[in-house]
Amino acid sequence: MAEPPVLIRQDEVEGLLHYKDLIPRLEVALGKFSKLDSAEVIQPVRTTVPLQKYNGFLGLMPAYLVHEDILCTKLVCFYKRESGSTLPSTQATVLLFDPEYGNVKAVSMPMIIEQWPLDLLMPAKSEVLTILGAGHQALSHYNVFTETFSFKEVRVWSRRKETAERFAQSTQGHVTVWESVEEAVNGADVIVTVTGASEPVLFGQWVKPGAHVAAVGACRPDWRELDDVLMRQAKVYVDSREGAVAESGDIILSGAKVFAELGEVLNGTRPALREKTTVFKSLGMGIQDAVSAKLVFEQWKNKH
Ligand SMILES: NC(=O)C1=CN([C@@H]2O[C@H](COP(=O)(O)OP(=O)(O)OC[C@H]3O[C@@H](n4cnc5c(N)ncnc54)[C@H](O)[C@@H]3O)[C@@H](O)[C@H]2O)C=CC1
Ligand SMILES: O=C(O)C1=NCCCC1
């Protein structure tokens, strides 16, 4: 008889998951995904159930890594919230299965970053980091980017200035608050977009040539964070081409061409053009949650 699943809380996940252990495993998984070999990795495009009454969606994100024998699914509700709303805009649960028996071994929270610092795509000398948006993703991306690199300056902008100010007070290092996106991104080497916007907030004419944009928000086909100019002038990298052309409004509505999947860059089959303006559009991958859930569960077992 199968053991009942263990429940691993968010605070435990944060204590158990270390980026230095996780990132190499994520890179291997993304590389395998981009080889398009379904004998290795199975990850269908996310299924979404609209929650019209609440202006949101339930996303189902199953994944199976065959060689590693990791079967997992994330269930994520995400919403378009009104300015000033105190309700969460994303809530997710990850289920890790025993692939042979079919029972759930662990229920946990997802990892907290969707993009890890892409030194592959960032300008070689990256001194100024700008974060657009000041919510949960903003903080986790601030943490991982500043833990990994030494920026001379970190800036934040948000739709409401007080949210940006609260964000700046919550960070370990000094962050300056800016009142307009145009000023906040002026001269920035790396720009992380983590807003709940459904219309563009970042315009290509403001972006320094050669900058890297890590685009995390706008995960619906009719939502955008980036304008047509930026999408067409940049080299566009994605986590999954199939996902991007189905779900990314920034790509679908601008008609921008996808240059490469991140896994193709990791496999060496497509180049990382870091001297050009680059956009990495992430939508979230079930395999990322699968790899991190397995790691969290292993670490949890070592402790119990
Ligand atoms: N690519 C991926 O894998 C993932 C993407 N997301 C997306 O990232 C975005 C941020 O997520 P969280 O930080 O959890 O949300 P959050 O609600 O904690 O923060 C959102 C931030 O965006 C700002 N914002 C909201 N609407 C805006 C608008 N219309 N214009 C400008 N700014 C606006 C808010 O003021 C806040 O600062 C969401 O769109 C979410 O769906 C979240 C998780 C994973
Ligand atoms: O992968 C995720 O988690 C999410 N992706 C897009 C929308 C919000 C959550």
Side-chain angles (χ1 to χ4, degrees):
M1 179 119 136
E3 296 272 305
V6 298
L7 178 63
I8 310 178
R9 298 185 317 269
Q10 179 81 65
D11 57 324
E12 288 180 280
V13 171
E14 285 168 22
L16 294 169
L17 202 57
H18 301 291
Y19 294 127
K20 70 170 181 16
D21 303 323
L22 177 63
I23 288 172
R25 289 172 165 82
L26 292 177
E27 290 184 348
V28 170
L30 261 86
K32 285 185 178 178
F33 174 79
S34 290
K35 286 188 178 147
L36 298 176
D37 180 354
S38 59
E40 273 284 3
V41 175
I42 301 167
Q43 182 201 270
V45 173
R46 173 167 43 215
T47 300
T48 44
V49 177
L51 309 171
Q52 213 167 356
K53 184 173 168 189
Y54 301 107
N55 219 355
F57 299 87
L58 165 66
L60 309 176
M61 300 172 64
Y64 183 42
L65 287 111
V66 178
H67 177 72
E68 295 83 353
D69 209 23
I70 311 176
L71 178 64
C72 182
T73 190
K74 180 159 75 178
L75 308 169
V76 56
C77 286
F78 58 103
Y79 304 86
K80 175 133 192 61
R81 299 294 190 199
E82 294 305 320
S83 183
S85 167
T86 51
L87 297 172
S89 56
T90 310
Q91 296 262 60
T93 306
V94 174
L95 305 181
L96 181 68
F97 293 85
D98 180 320
E100 189 179 10
Y101 276 63
N103 59 298
V104 175
K105 291 193 291 188
V107 179
S108 81
M109 301 307 134
M111 63 171 200
I112 46 179
I113 54 158
E114 296 300 335
Q115 296 212 0
W116 57 97
L118 289 167
D119 52 343
L120 288 168
L121 297 179
M122 283 164 49
K125 196 167 166 220
S126 286
E127 296 184 336
V128 179
L129 168 69
T130 297
I131 302 177
L132 304 179
H136 294 93
Q137 290 292 325
L139 189 59
S140 54
H141 284 81
Y142 167 85
N143 287 336
V144 73
F145 272 80
T146 56
E147 272 167 32
T148 317
F149 300 103
S150 305
F151 291 97
K152 284 195 178 150
E153 193 185 342
V154 183
R155 306 172 182 170
V156 67
W157 167 88
S158 190
R159 176 166 64 159
R160 287 152 61 96
K161 193 175 174 206
E162 44 293 16
T163 320
E165 283 168 345
R166 252 200 324 274
F167 174 86
Q169 280 155 16
S170 72
T171 54
Q172 292 274 324
H174 182 61
V175 175
T176 53
V177 174
W178 295 68
E179 292 203 18
S180 80
V181 176
E182 181 174 0
E183 289 169 316
V185 301
N186 183 19
D189 302 294
V190 179
I191 303 167
V192 180
T193 62
V194 272
T195 74
S198 51
E199 300 294 331
V201 292
L202 179 61
F203 291 78
Q205 68 193 71
W206 303 334
V207 175
K208 177 166 104 171
H212 173 60
V213 179
V216 179
C219 295
R220 292 291 304 154
D222 55 348
W223 292 1
R224 304 202 52 178
E225 286 186 305
L226 318 178
D227 82 334
D228 286 353
V229 173
L230 176 56
M231 289 306 294
R232 292 190 195 142
Q233 79 191 8
K235 290 287 174 200
V236 178
Y237 294 76
V238 295
D239 40 16
S240 153
R241 282 176 196 271
E242 214 187 349
V245 298
E247 290 195 306
S248 167
D250 286 320
I251 290 172
I252 297 164
L253 301 176
S254 67
K257 296 260 173 305
V258 173
F259 180 72
E261 284 183 355
L262 186 55
E264 294 173 313
V265 175
L266 294 166
N267 290 338
T269 54
R270 298 290 278 165
L273 301 174
R274 66 190 311 187
E275 69 290 355
K276 305 255 194 228
T277 306
T278 52
V279 167
F280 174 50
K281 174 66 225 158
S282 87
L283 290 154
M285 302 265 274
I287 54 169
Q288 291 179 231
D289 297 293
V291 167
S292 36
K294 172 85 182 311
L295 185 59
V296 165
F297 187 51
E298 277 168 4
Q299 309 276 34
W300 184 92
K301 279 195 299 187
N302 288 342
K303 286 202 163 182
H304 292 85

